[in-house]
């Protein structure tokens, strides 16, 4: 194989891998009902409407990371300069301690993509529900 | 320098190291704790770390967030016990379970301190949803939810603890929380063990 051909083959593989990656990362539509059950895993530390060991989750989508008044965040989370949207939540919840090194959320995360999508769909729906209206 | 071979299991050697173990035993004795297998594992874990293993930074965070949840559980059982809603056999359960959470919290706090961290302390005020707790069943359901959450939290801690002794200790606490959960469900008349796997 000539160098040019080899390069082309490699490029082809690289593109295929990239495309595969893109598909793998494509958004899943979550089922909020299934997500509610996944959310029970967070109950040791979180509630929708009030701060506990972790901050409350009402208002999560669309709020800046580390910004609930009166909650004592880690320096790492306070420094995180993003707004929580579905994509950032998906990244964070997959591996919290890797995405925010130094976070005080000592939890391995939700490794299953579908469960994560369901969970995020639930958080989104709950945020718009009556429960969260005044929180 | 210690002549002990430095493997991740080094700390197990400490289990047979009478003088060191005695020191711990009397130390724990003073704080009124019964020395359990988990206690030995936790404290032994710290020795493994002290001998220049991986930094314990993230382990401290993991243990501290578990501690925060334990402290809240203690406060929650206090609210339950003082609510006047719990009748005798159930009230005793609540007090017993609260005692377990105190033991977990004491041990976690000591371990965080030994790892060089600052143990979180109990909040002055917890926002429990007291307006939704009107009957004994409400209190039991609330407690069951916290206990199940605790199982999940420890399950989420085990794989990310760098130190295997600490992971073992977390698993030991997990088992205790799972028993609480099952008994609370049983007291509620629900299937005590509804699943084969916890998540």
């Amino acid at each position: 194989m000539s160098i040019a051909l080899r390069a082309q083959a490699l490029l082809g593989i690289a593109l295929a891998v990239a495309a595969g990656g893109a598909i793998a990362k494509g958004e899943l539509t979550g089922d909020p009902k299934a997500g509610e059950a996944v959310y029970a895993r967070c109950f040791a530390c979180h509630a929708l409407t009030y701060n506990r060991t972790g901050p409350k989750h009402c208002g999560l989508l669309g709020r800046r990371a580390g910004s609930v008044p009166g909650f004592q965040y880690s320096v790492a989370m306070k420094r995180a300069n993003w707004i929580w949207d579905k994509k950032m939540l998906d990244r964070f919840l997959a591996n919290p301690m890797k995405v925010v090194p130094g976070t005080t959320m000592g939890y391995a995360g939700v490794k299953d993509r579908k469960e994560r999508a369901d969970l995020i769909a639930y958080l989104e729906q709950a945020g718009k529900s009556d429960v969260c209206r005044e929180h | 320098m210690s002549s002990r071979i430095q493997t991740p299991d080094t700390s197990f050697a400490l289990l047979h190291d009478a003088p060191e173990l005695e020191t711990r035993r009397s130390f724990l004795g003073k704080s009124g704790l019964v020395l359990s297998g988990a206690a030995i594992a936790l404290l032994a874990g710290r020795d493994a770390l002290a001998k220049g293993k991986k930094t314990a930074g993230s382990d401290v965070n993991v243990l501290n967030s578990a501690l925060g949840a334990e402290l809240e559980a203690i406060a929650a059982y206090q609210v339950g016990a003082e609510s006047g809603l719990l009748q005798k056999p159930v009230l005793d359960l609540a007090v017993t379970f609260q005692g377990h959470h105190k033991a977990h919290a004491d041990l976690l706090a000591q371990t965080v301190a030994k790892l060089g961290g600052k143990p979180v302390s109990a909040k002055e005020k917890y926002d429990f949803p007291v307006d939704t707790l009107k009957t004994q069943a409400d209190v039991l359901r609330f407690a069951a939810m916290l206990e199940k959450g605790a199982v999940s939290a420890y399950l989420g801690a085990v794989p990310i603890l760098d130190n295997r002794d600490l992971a073992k200790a977390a698993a030991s606490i997990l088992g205790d929380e799972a028993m609480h959960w099952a008994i609370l469900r049983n007291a509620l008349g629900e299937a005590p063990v509804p699943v084969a796997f916890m998540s």
Side-chain angles (χ1 to χ4, degrees), chain B residues 19-111:
Chain B
E20 282 190 57
L21 187 59
E22 270 324 304
T23 319
R24 288 197 190 89
R25 224 182 266 282
S26 54
F27 170 71
L28 283 167
K30 265 181 229 135
S31 63
L33 268 176
V34 180
L35 192 68
S36 67
I40 295 173
L42 274 171
L43 295 167
R46 156 248 169 188
D47 286 314
L49 289 162
K51 283 180 196 128
K53 294 263 150 208
K54 275 189 195 169
T55 47
S58 75
D59 282 4
V60 166
N61 284 348
V62 174
L63 297 181
N64 238 345
S65 59
L67 174 58
E70 293 283 359
L71 292 169
E72 187 187 310
I74 294 166
Y77 275 109
Q78 194 63 32
V79 168
E82 288 172 358
S83 67
L85 295 169
L86 303 184
Q87 271 97 55
K88 235 330 180 162
V90 168
L91 180 60
D92 293 342
L93 274 183
V95 173
T96 304
F97 292 176
Q98 187 192 41
H100 297 161
H101 288 292
K102 282 180 178 162
H104 304 160
D106 283 350
L107 196 59
L108 289 166
Q110 286 175 23
T111 308

Side-chain angles (χ1 to χ4, degrees), chain A:
Chain A
M1 220 192 311
S2 75
I3 290 175
L5 267 181
R6 214 179 296 164
Q8 209 170 13
L10 278 176
L11 184 66
I13 291 167
L15 283 175
V17 168
I23 290 162
K25 283 197 182 113
E27 247 183 57
L28 278 176
T29 9
D31 167 12
K33 194 101 192 76
E36 187 172 4
V38 178
Y39 190 59
R41 295 178 205 170
C42 323
F43 280 170
C45 302
H46 288 282
L48 288 172
T49 59
Y50 56 99
N51 291 339
R52 295 176 55 200
T53 297
K56 66 179 179 181
H57 281 149
C58 281
L60 177 65
L61 280 119
R63 97 179 164 223
R64 209 175 162 274
S67 69
V68 171
F71 183 83
Q72 276 213 319
Y73 288 96
S74 63
V75 175
M77 188 63 82
K78 271 189 275 189
R79 280 201 190 133
N81 60 341
W82 56 72
I83 308 277
W84 288 120
D85 59 11
K86 287 181 167 185
K87 217 168 130 206
M88 266 327 288
L89 281 173
D90 187 57
R91 274 191 60 200
F92 175 69
L93 292 173
N95 198 343
M97 304 191 69
K98 184 136 177 245
V99 174
V100 183
T103 180
T104 44
M105 174 160 150
Y107 187 72
V110 178
K111 301 296 174 194
D112 185 284
R113 270 181 84 218
K114 176 75 173 77
E115 286 183 343
R116 234 166 31 240
D118 292 345
L119 174 61
I120 293 164
Y122 169 73
L123 286 168
E124 190 181 30
Q125 191 192 63
K128 292 178 190 152
S129 72
D130 279 356
V131 181
C132 278
R133 189 134 26 95
E134 281 164 23
H135 299 272

Side-chain angles (χ1 to χ4, degrees), chain B residues 158-187:
Chain B
V158 168
I160 52 175
L161 283 163
D162 279 334
N163 182 289
R164 294 191 52 82
D165 290 317
L166 296 178
K168 178 183 169 187
S172 162
I173 299 178
L174 184 160
D176 187 60
E177 318 282 29
M179 287 191 271
H180 293 173
W181 183 55
I183 293 293
L184 290 168
R185 286 183 61 93
N186 197 55

